[in-house]
Amino acid sequence: MQLESIKYSEYDDEPRAWDLDMFAVDQINLIVGKNASGKTRTLRLINNLALLLCGERKPSSLSSSNFNAKFKDDNDTYQYVVNIKNGAVIKEEFQSEKNKWLTRSQDGTGTIFYSAEKKHMAFQTDVSELAFTSKRDSIQHPFIEPLYQWAKSVHLYEFGTSLGGNLLELKLEGAAEANTKNTQMVVGIYRRGEKEFADKFKTSIKNDMKKLGYHILDIGVATPSDVQIIDPMPSPGELVEIWIQEDGLQAKIEHRKISQGMFRALSLIIQLNYSTMTKMPSCTLVDDIGEGLDHERSCALIELVLTKIQASKTQLIMTTNDRFVMNKVPLEMWTVLHRQGSHCKVFNIKNAKDKFEEFRFTGLNNFDFFASDYLTENKK
Amino acid sequence: MKKLAIFTEGQTEQLLSEQTVIYTAGEKQFAITKHSAHGGRNKPRIIEIGAESDCIEYFILIVDCGTDGRVKSDIIERHSTLASAGYEKVIGIRDAYPTVKYNELHRLRNGLKQGLPDGAPSISFILGVMEIEAWILAEYTHFQKFHPNLNIERIKNELGLDIIRENLSQRENPAKDLKDIYWLEAIHYDKSRTLISKILDAIDQQHLRDEVSKKFDDLLALYQELELFFSN
């Protein structure tokens, strides 16, 4: 299942209102826009919707959010609508072209389709819960499962952050595997990859890093040499972190000592490799891709990510302010956000086809499409 | 001193421009400076406007912008600096392929004229149609100088390409044609500076000016711009 479009608003009719036009999403998407145009916010709201749908975030944690999202798979298209106010769900609907599967109202009452009985039946759920998650049942409501799996597969990588570079992992006996949705938990995700795919995983990471100009001979996890747990003693588990061995250097480098740009690249590569090797269709969100990398590596990273994504069923939505990233990504993959007050307008080849195609003939590079306000000036 | 700046989309265009300038300048006192405008955040794109000398009459700056989309962008970005440095003319040279198709060329030509800065130096664009390699292809006398076994009959027989009769400006990807031709003698057309220089050394500039330019309006326009520049 893939996200086809999303429309969002919050705090309607209030001074702090904000809304995003319908954003039609393709397999690979690059969101560009000036500062404060809503790029990061757009990724976060997609991630928030996913967290709600897979039960990792409760509606009660949101004071105002109205989502209207469309999805598609090989068989059908689906629409999920949810309005949340003051932590309570005031409207929720899930339907496909063929059937209105679920509908519920402000008081928590609604109807849902029962597959065994082949009919809709009434239910009541807590106003602070999504019926979508509370009614999840693969026998009675199998239509929920694909969207739930989509939500599980959404990963948000905030490239401008450390991406786990300042975190160690405490390995506990019998503990659950690292949650891949927590993209800061790169040590645990690396361990999962090494355990499930062994040398194939390592080799792929080394090859990908080489494409970015980082020559890594070996990679693994080990106990840090300079950190120990003194309270409680004995320690409940073993502290571990990633190390790498770079070509030309004898000593292994622990991940906290790797340069920030290099570690961000390493972390993203580890997580993308794990995601693509598990072969689960997923939705990858990368905020500020290339941030902190030099020009060559920034371009190489974009090339690498595009190649990996194009060879998989993954959907990719990235944001950037970097001119070199913009010049590397074809304009057809662009979405330009333009904020007018609290309203965030969306332009891409689906709703501004003429302007996008006409730009080819200006002879300018992609960055100028953004920098010269070509779209909005011509829209006036 | 008269000054001309040429912005090209790549190394091949830069080196061919250099040779064309040298041929057109003839016995004039001139100097050429070449720059590559590759770079990024940690390796800034630097286009130096300078390197002059009092004893020369004509100064030509040839900048390799690295990609087709940067030619116009770099010219616009550097226009005021070029104006302050006394440049009287700017020529942008880029390919049409792969951005536009043959039947869309007029749209690209019109588009390139839009959004340019006013005032001197004036700006004009020369298009390699569909790629500048078409000019090299059309200067067929160089093949045998480059390798004695590469003659036009063999090219016609083995590749089905009649270099003399075919309208080469309609070849979609002439760089691939060149690649196929050199590969007949297991020469890999990798666009390296060494190989391009070797190929251009074999080019007959007089044939290019007098004959090939009759088949390519843009090449003719380039010569005319250069001849005008060196005319006074």
Side-chain angles (χ1 to χ4, degrees):
Chain A
M1 182 169 277
Q2 284 206 333
L3 179 64
E4 195 174 49
S5 70
I6 188 160
K7 195 173 183 305
Y8 177 84
S9 70
E10 61 186 33
Y11 302 110
D12 295 353
D13 305 322
E14 290 185 41
R16 54 183 168 167
W18 185 82
D19 73 280
L20 175 75
D21 257 356
M22 204 264 288
F23 169 26
V25 188
D26 226 317
Q27 194 201 352
I28 299 176
N29 310 269
L30 178 71
I31 302 177
V32 306
K34 293 183 175 166
N35 288 341
S37 59
K39 301 185 295 293
T40 300
R41 207 164 177 174
T42 300
L43 291 195
R44 286 185 179 160
L45 70 88
I46 295 171
N47 192 49
N48 272 345
L49 173 64
L51 290 171
L52 284 169
L53 291 175
C54 69
E56 292 191 23
R57 183 160 194 174
K58 297 290 177 196
S60 51
S61 67
L62 296 170
S63 42
S64 175
S65 285
N66 305 308
F67 296 94
N68 185 339
K70 288 184 178 164
F71 301 85
K72 62 179 174 189
D73 62 18
D74 295 339
N75 307 314
D76 213 338
T77 56
Y78 307 85
Q79 183 177 26
Y80 181 78
V81 176
V82 64
N83 297 348
I84 298 166
K85 193 170 185 181
N86 298 326
V89 179
I90 56 173
K91 178 183 177 185
E92 188 181 7
E93 288 174 2
F94 181 46
Q95 59 189 334
S96 68
E97 291 223 326
K98 297 168 190 159
N99 203 338
K100 195 158 196 166
W101 303 112
L102 179 161
T103 177
R104 64 88 69 86
S105 53
Q106 195 164 359
D107 61 2
T109 60
T111 61
I112 188 166
F113 187 76
Y114 278 75
S115 290
E117 287 77 7
K118 291 190 173 53
K119 64 177 183 181
H120 288 85
M121 292 169 75
F123 69 85
Q124 173 146 32
T125 189
D126 192 294
V127 293
S128 64
E129 298 277 341
L130 289 185
F132 183 88
T133 49
S134 65
K135 303 303 286 181
R136 186 174 162 235
D137 173 342
S138 61
I139 295 169
Q140 283 292 8
H141 316 302
F143 46 86
I144 286 180
E145 208 54 26
L147 184 53
Y148 174 83
Q149 290 304 332
W150 171 84
K152 289 290 279 183
S153 79
V154 175
H155 292 79
L156 171 63
Y157 305 99
E158 296 186 294
F159 206 80
T161 70
S162 63
L163 272 179
N166 50 7
L167 294 177
L168 305 174
E169 189 198 4
L170 186 61
K171 244 169 82 179
L172 298 170
E173 195 67 35
E177 298 277 21
N179 179 357
T180 59
K181 282 180 82 67
N182 185 346
T183 55
Q184 300 292 320
M185 300 300 291
V186 62
V187 183
I189 295 166
Y190 175 82
R191 288 202 305 113
R192 282 185 72 167
E194 199 182 53
K195 189 173 152 192
E196 291 168 37
F197 305 106
D199 281 349
K200 186 182 162 199
F201 185 63
K202 273 190 174 195
T203 305
S204 186
I205 291 167
K206 286 190 281 182
N207 288 343
D208 287 348
M209 288 297 279
K210 194 175 173 185
K211 286 176 191 156
L212 303 192
Y214 297 116
H215 297 267
I216 292 175
L217 298 177
D218 203 2
I219 182 169
V221 289
T223 304
S225 59
D226 56 353
V227 182
Q228 56 177 309
I229 297 173
I230 52 173
D231 186 21
M233 224 19 191
S235 158
E238 184 194 358
L239 271 181
V240 286
E241 68 177 329
I242 294 170
W243 57 263
I244 57 164
Q245 172 118 44
E246 271 193 278
D247 193 10
L249 294 177
Q250 285 197 325
K252 291 173 180 174
I253 307 169
E254 294 166 325
H255 85 233
R256 288 164 296 127
K257 293 161 191 167
I258 297 173
S259 78
Q260 197 177 50
M262 181 178 179
F263 187 78
R264 285 174 186 166
L266 177 66
S267 179
L268 184 64
I269 281 172
I270 287 171
Q271 302 192 55
L272 282 182
N273 269 291
Y274 183 77
S275 167
T276 50
M277 281 187 190
T278 52
K279 289 191 175 139
M280 272 181 58
S282 66
C283 180
T284 298
L285 314 172
V286 188
D287 190 29
D288 226 348
I289 189 162
E291 168 65 23
L293 294 181
D294 57 45
H295 161 251
E296 283 77 12
R297 288 191 168 116
S298 178
C299 292
L301 179 70
I302 275 290
E303 219 161 272
L304 178 77
V305 170
L306 292 184
T307 308
K308 274 195 178 297
I309 296 297
Q310 275 161 344
S312 73
K313 289 181 178 171
T314 302
Q315 190 170 31
L316 174 69
I317 309 173
M318 312 174 277
T319 72
T320 193
N321 252 336
D322 183 316
R323 69 188 295 169
F324 305 106
V325 170
M326 292 187 202
N327 285 336
K328 203 77 190 163
V329 177
L331 220 50
E332 308 87 79
M333 296 175 181
W334 280 38
T335 286
V336 182
L337 297 188
H338 182 72
R339 188 166 65 85
Q340 288 178 322
S342 63
H343 178 54
C344 192
K345 296 186 78 152
V346 174
F347 300 101
N348 56 32
I349 200 154
K350 293 187 176 171
N351 67 3
K353 194 175 179 193
D354 289 350
K355 293 294 163 205
F356 271 74
E357 289 196 342
E358 195 182 287
F359 186 77
R360 265 190 315 137
F361 303 110
T362 64
L364 294 166
N365 66 4
N366 290 359
F367 177 71
D368 294 313
F369 186 78
F370 160 75
S372 66
D373 286 331
Y374 179 84
L375 253 176
T376 46
E377 275 182 7
N378 281 269
K379 277 266 168 186
K380 284 171 189 168
Chain B
M1 187 198 307
K2 295 184 73 179
K3 294 181 188 172
L4 165 72
I6 300 175
F7 286 69
T8 70
E9 77 160 61
Q11 184 178 248
T12 308
E13 290 79 3
Q14 186 187 42
L15 295 175
L16 184 58
S17 302
E18 182 187 22
Q19 288 218 347
T20 309
V21 166
I22 292 169
Y23 174 79
T24 311
E27 300 302 313
K28 306 274 188 189
Q29 293 292 312
F30 68 98
I32 294 176
T33 293
K34 287 183 289 180
H35 288 290
S36 287
H38 303 164
R41 192 165 24 209
N42 295 347
K43 185 182 167 192
R45 297 174 59 86
I46 297 171
I47 303 169
E48 291 174 34
I49 313 294
E52 302 165 13
S53 162
D54 289 340
C55 64
I56 55 170
E57 296 173 73
Y58 302 92
F59 181 79
I60 303 96
L61 170 76
I62 309 179
V63 182
D64 167 10
C65 302
T67 173
D68 54 2
R70 283 248 39 114
V71 174
K72 182 174 169 184
S73 301
D74 276 348
I75 290 173
I76 292 171
E77 206 171 301
R78 308 309 303 176
H79 189 263
S80 60
T81 318
L82 290 163
S84 329
Y87 281 77
E88 65 178 59
K89 180 75 193 171
V90 181
I91 300 173
I93 302 179
R94 52 159 291 172
D95 292 342
Y97 177 87
T99 318
V100 299
K101 296 184 174 67
Y102 186 78
N103 62 5
E104 297 173 327
L105 279 171
H106 64 288
R107 295 183 71 183
L108 178 59
R109 289 190 198 282
N110 288 337
L112 283 167
K113 289 178 196 159
Q114 308 303 316
L116 296 176
D118 295 328
S122 65
I123 301 165
S124 54
F125 288 95
I126 302 292
L127 286 182
V129 177
M130 294 294 292
E131 294 174 295
I132 204 170
E133 278 84 353
W135 305 348
I136 300 175
L137 202 58
E139 203 300 278
Y140 54 84
T141 67
H142 87 276
F143 286 116
Q144 264 191 296
K145 284 185 251 169
F146 186 70
H147 193 287
N149 295 342
L150 289 177
N151 59 62
I152 51 175
E153 278 307 308
R154 183 178 175 206
I155 293 166
K156 188 179 172 185
N157 291 338
E158 296 197 30
L159 299 174
L161 175 60
D162 188 339
I163 290 174
I164 294 180
R165 287 182 185 79
E166 191 162 331
N167 180 355
L168 297 175
S169 64
Q170 289 192 17
R171 299 290 295 179
E172 191 193 12
N173 186 188
K176 186 182 176 302
D177 293 328
L178 275 187
K179 194 174 184 174
D180 293 342
I181 292 170
Y182 298 133
W183 191 244
L184 292 174
E185 283 302 322
I187 299 161
H188 178 42
Y189 180 60
D190 58 359
K191 296 200 176 188
S192 66
R193 177 171 284 268
T194 312
L195 184 74
I196 298 290
S197 299
K198 208 175 152 195
I199 292 168
L200 294 180
D201 282 346
I203 293 275
D204 179 345
Q205 272 288 338
Q206 192 174 342
H207 184 237
L208 201 66
R209 171 64 187 93
D210 297 343
E211 301 302 325
V212 178
S213 67
K214 288 177 188 167
K215 297 176 180 172
F216 296 92
D217 292 345
D218 285 88
L219 179 60
L220 182 63
L222 175 62
Y223 277 113
Q224 287 170 341
E225 291 278 15
L226 293 176
E227 285 159 4
L228 182 66
F229 175 71
F230 284 114
S231 65
N232 48 48

